[in-house]
Structure formats: C-alpha cells, structure tokens
Amino acid sequence: MAVTLEEAPWLGWILLRALMRFAFMVANNLVAIPSYICYVIILQPLRVLDSKRFWYIEGIMYKWLLGMVASWGWYAGYTVMEWGEDIKAISKDEAVMLVNHQATGDVCTLMMCLQDKGLVVAQMMWLMDHIFKYTNFGIVSLLHGDFFIRQGRAYRDQQLLLLKRHLENYYRSRDRKWIVLFPEGGFLRKRRETSQAFAKKNNLPFLTHVTLPRCGATKIILSELVARQENGSPAGGDAKELGSKSKGLQWIIDTTIAYPKAEPIDIQTWILGYRKPTVTHVHYRIFPIKDVPLETDDLTNWLYQRFIEKEDLLSHFYETGAFPLSKGHKEAVSREMTLSNMWIFLIQSFAFLSGYMWYNIIQYFYHCLF
C-alpha cells in the first residue's frame, strides 16, 4: 500500500521510535540478565547456609526482571484492566493460574498485571513451551526453576514424568507459591481447528475463542501439590475463610485474557511499540481446591467446563466490550492495573548500575590474570 506525503512523517516517527525502543531493550538485556546471573553466582554460599533466604533474594531479582519486561509495554501504552475477583486476597496462598493462550504477548500481560500482587511473581513457577529456553530470558528461567515443556503426542508421557520430578525437586525447596499454566498447549490460531475436530468427534461444544484444554499437566500439578486430609479429601481454602492455614495448593485461578477486537499482542509489538495504545482485559475467577475434583475423568470434565465458560466470557466481551456481571454486583466492575514510574526507574537504574559494576569487576580480574 502506497504511503502518502502526509503519512510519511508519522510513519517515520513510528519507525524511529521502534528502533529506539529496540536499542533500549537490547541494552536493558545486556546489563540486567548478566547482572542477575552474576548475583546468583556470588550468592551461592548463602544458598548453602540459608537456602530459604537465597531463594527469597533470587525471587526479588526475578520479579524486577519481569518488571522491566512489563515496563516496555507500559511505556508503549499497553495497559491492563482487571475484572472479576480480587486475587490479591490470596497472594500469600498457593495457587494455580489456568490461562487461555492467544499469542506471546499473553506472557508479557501476566508479567505486568501480577507485579502489584505482593511476592507472587517472586515465588512463581511458569510452565512454558521449550522454545523459550533458547531465548535471551531462557537462562533466567532455568536458574529460577521454571519448567519448559515440549509439545507433541510423541513427547507427552515423558514430559509429564519430567514435570512430576521437577515439582518434587524445585517447587517446595524453592518456596514456590503460584504456578502459571496454559492448558490449551499452544496458541489459539494453531490449535483451534484440531480442537474443533476433537470436539465434533466427542460430542463436545464447538469453541471459537478458546480451545479445549489438555489436562495432563494440570492433573500432575494437583496430584503433587494438593495436601490431603486424613480422610483423603483435599485440604483447600474457602473464599470466605482467607485466614485458612491449610498447607498445599489451595486455589485455582481461572484467568481469561481478552484483547479488543480479538487482536492479540505479540512479543514483537510489545518490544517495538508500533501498535497504538491498547488496553488488555484480564478476568479472574477463584475456585477453592476442595471444590475441584481430583479424579481423572471428573477433573477433565471440570476443566472442559472452565473453558466453555471462558468461551462465553469472551463472546460477551467481544460483543459488549466488557465482561459480564460478577455475582453480587449490579454492574460490571473493573480495576485499572498501574505500574509505578518511580519503581520502574529505580529497578532500571539498579540494572544499569549493576551492569557497570560487574563489567568493571570482571575487567579488573581479567587484567590481573592476563
């Protein structure tokens, strides 16, 4: 499409801004990620002496790194509006987030909207596609203890066994509280046709805004992390009794991400900022673990029902621009999620100062040795 003379300055500014943002992102990664790695290495003696304190400090640095990623979208005008139940109330309990998956920007959106939920991000474990292991952030996720899952029927049983071992080795020992899981097993555009064919074959609802979830990872997580009472039933929380001291996984947070006009944001847009400012909408619904069936068939049906409800939520959103009313409310209530500009400035400053410090330390030792 030809560019008119009037449009040329605007397009030039968009291109220049995108290049400036990309240059800053590269510089940000070059100082923040190596600094994180150096701090983790230098703190290894603390890991031996006081493992809990080590992982607390590591978690704070991990949260700052995710905050930097969130800030790239924040300054491009990609903000978040939250709906449904307030998940801050359970931020100190163990929970699993079940999230629909449309694009790479879903991860960035969660990085942003969870920043103001206490230590949730610091104590969080992500389950993500194995391809992310080979990105610039892969080394950070490996050190933090996130799990990379390989998709495909040929790898499914092996990956579930690896997930079970991963939870046994890393979840409790690193004081993790929340797990983020995308049960659809891939992006909507890639899985929709296969999911619809499966639904037709098995007499299940026809879904267009989400796909039917894959249940294997959820089953492993619940079987490993749900504490049992003496009678074998799950010991979970109750939405009316937030003071519960029950140990183990207590909540499932059904999380639905919606983009205006069903146009998701990808990671390239998040970094370069060439799309106009956009408000992403995130809806939460909290389920006490005691209300979630743990038997295989019942759990599968329960998960299917959640994604059928997501389909209804998204249909309503795309028709009206808002999520439907929550129980007990006369009108739809939303909350604008904000980031503190001062906090972003401080963590970015700390990253660049740390990068400068580690550069000088490494340079000094290099000259001493060579």
Side-chain angles (χ1 to χ4, degrees):
M1 185 173 64
V3 178
T4 65
L5 189 62
E6 292 78 10
E7 292 174 329
W10 178 77
L11 289 174
W13 164 242
I14 294 295
L15 178 60
L16 177 61
R17 188 178 67 176
L19 291 172
M20 291 172 62
R21 286 175 57 87
F22 182 74
F24 177 79
M25 183 274 293
V26 171
N28 200 181
N29 276 269
L30 287 175
V31 296
I33 294 177
S35 294
Y36 166 87
I37 295 170
C38 289
Y39 281 123
V40 169
I41 292 172
I42 206 72
L43 288 171
Q44 286 303 305
L46 178 62
R47 182 178 180 179
V48 176
L49 297 171
D50 190 343
S51 177
K52 186 173 183 178
R53 183 163 297 181
F54 169 83
W55 288 114
Y56 174 82
I57 296 172
E58 183 277 334
I60 295 298
M61 293 190 295
Y62 182 83
K63 178 180 178 179
W64 291 350
L65 286 175
L66 268 60
M68 293 175 199
V69 176
S71 72
W72 303 341
W74 175 256
Y75 287 123
Y78 306 146
T79 57
V80 173
M81 190 71 72
E82 297 180 304
W83 302 74
E85 297 182 76
D86 185 4
I87 61 174
K88 284 184 180 180
I90 60 169
S91 61
K92 294 182 180 180
D93 298 332
E94 293 185 27
V96 175
M97 296 190 79
L98 303 179
V99 191
N100 62 312
H101 208 11
Q102 301 175 68
T104 49
D106 298 342
V107 175
C108 301
T109 295
L110 292 175
M111 288 180 179
M112 176 183 286
C113 63
L114 295 176
Q115 285 293 325
D116 67 343
K117 309 298 188 295
L119 292 176
V120 161
V121 175
Q123 297 176 302
M124 177 175 284
M125 178 182 288
W126 296 73
L127 269 65
M128 60 187 78
D129 192 279
H130 79 289
I131 196 66
F132 284 99
K133 185 189 296 185
Y134 307 105
T135 66
N136 60 314
F137 208 79
I139 183 64
V140 174
S141 291
L142 280 171
L143 292 174
H144 181 71
D146 295 328
F147 182 75
F148 299 94
I149 190 164
R150 193 179 183 91
Q151 303 294 342
R153 184 176 300 176
Y155 306 102
R156 192 167 301 162
D157 292 340
Q158 179 195 33
Q159 291 299 299
L160 293 178
L161 180 60
L162 291 174
L163 173 59
K164 183 177 185 297
R165 293 175 180 171
H166 189 87
L167 293 172
E168 291 172 350
N169 293 332
Y170 298 119
Y171 185 82
R172 301 287 181 207
S173 65
R174 299 188 180 188
D175 195 28
R176 298 295 173 245
K177 296 290 187 182
W178 284 29
I179 294 181
V180 178
L181 174 64
F182 298 94
E184 291 166 295
F187 298 139
L188 173 64
R189 67 180 186 277
K190 294 183 177 181
R191 287 213 62 242
R192 179 160 40 201
E193 185 176 343
T194 303
S195 175
Q196 290 173 346
F198 177 84
K200 183 178 181 180
K201 182 178 179 181
N202 291 275
N203 197 29
L204 293 167
F206 186 86
L207 307 177
T208 58
H209 304 308
V210 295
T211 66
L212 289 169
R214 295 174 176 174
C215 307
T218 307
K219 294 172 185 175
I220 293 294
I221 291 169
L222 296 186
S223 66
E224 287 297 311
L225 302 183
V226 173
R228 305 298 179 108
Q229 297 176 345
E230 292 182 1
N231 62 4
S233 61
D238 190 305
K240 298 179 181 179
E241 299 176 3
L242 297 179
S244 171
K245 296 182 180 180
S246 300
K247 295 181 180 180
L249 194 66
Q250 295 175 259
W251 312 96
I252 287 186
I253 305 170
D254 185 30
T255 307
T256 305
I257 299 177
Y259 298 93
K261 299 180 181 179
E263 298 175 353
I265 298 175
D266 55 30
I267 187 65
Q268 298 94 324
T269 306
W270 193 270
I271 292 171
L272 299 176
Y274 51 78
R275 181 170 166 176
K276 293 182 179 180
T278 301
V279 180
T280 302
H281 299 258
V282 183
H283 183 277
Y284 306 111
R285 188 179 177 193
I286 302 172
F287 293 88
I289 202 67
K290 64 182 180 61
D291 294 341
V292 180
L294 302 182
E295 297 300 323
T296 299
D297 292 340
D298 292 338
L299 177 58
T300 298
N301 293 331
W302 187 88
L303 287 170
Y304 283 173
Q305 188 59 40
R306 300 289 74 77
F307 276 77
I308 292 169
E309 290 174 359
K310 284 180 184 290
E311 176 79 9
D312 295 337
L313 283 172
L314 289 168
S315 295
H316 189 280
F317 177 85
Y318 295 139
E319 290 173 4
T320 66
F323 283 111
L325 297 177
S326 301
K327 292 182 179 180
H329 292 86
K330 295 183 179 180
E331 60 181 18
V333 179
S334 60
R335 305 172 296 278
E336 184 178 5
M337 189 274 157
T338 60
L339 293 177
S340 166
N341 291 323
M342 178 57 69
W343 178 73
I344 293 173
F345 173 78
L346 290 175
I347 61 173
Q348 293 283 13
S349 298
F350 179 77
F352 281 96
L353 289 173
S354 293
Y356 178 75
M357 178 190 74
W358 287 115
Y359 172 78
N360 282 282
I361 290 174
I362 294 171
Q363 187 182 49
Y364 172 79
F365 282 106
Y366 177 82
H367 288 306
C368 290
L369 293 173
F370 303 102

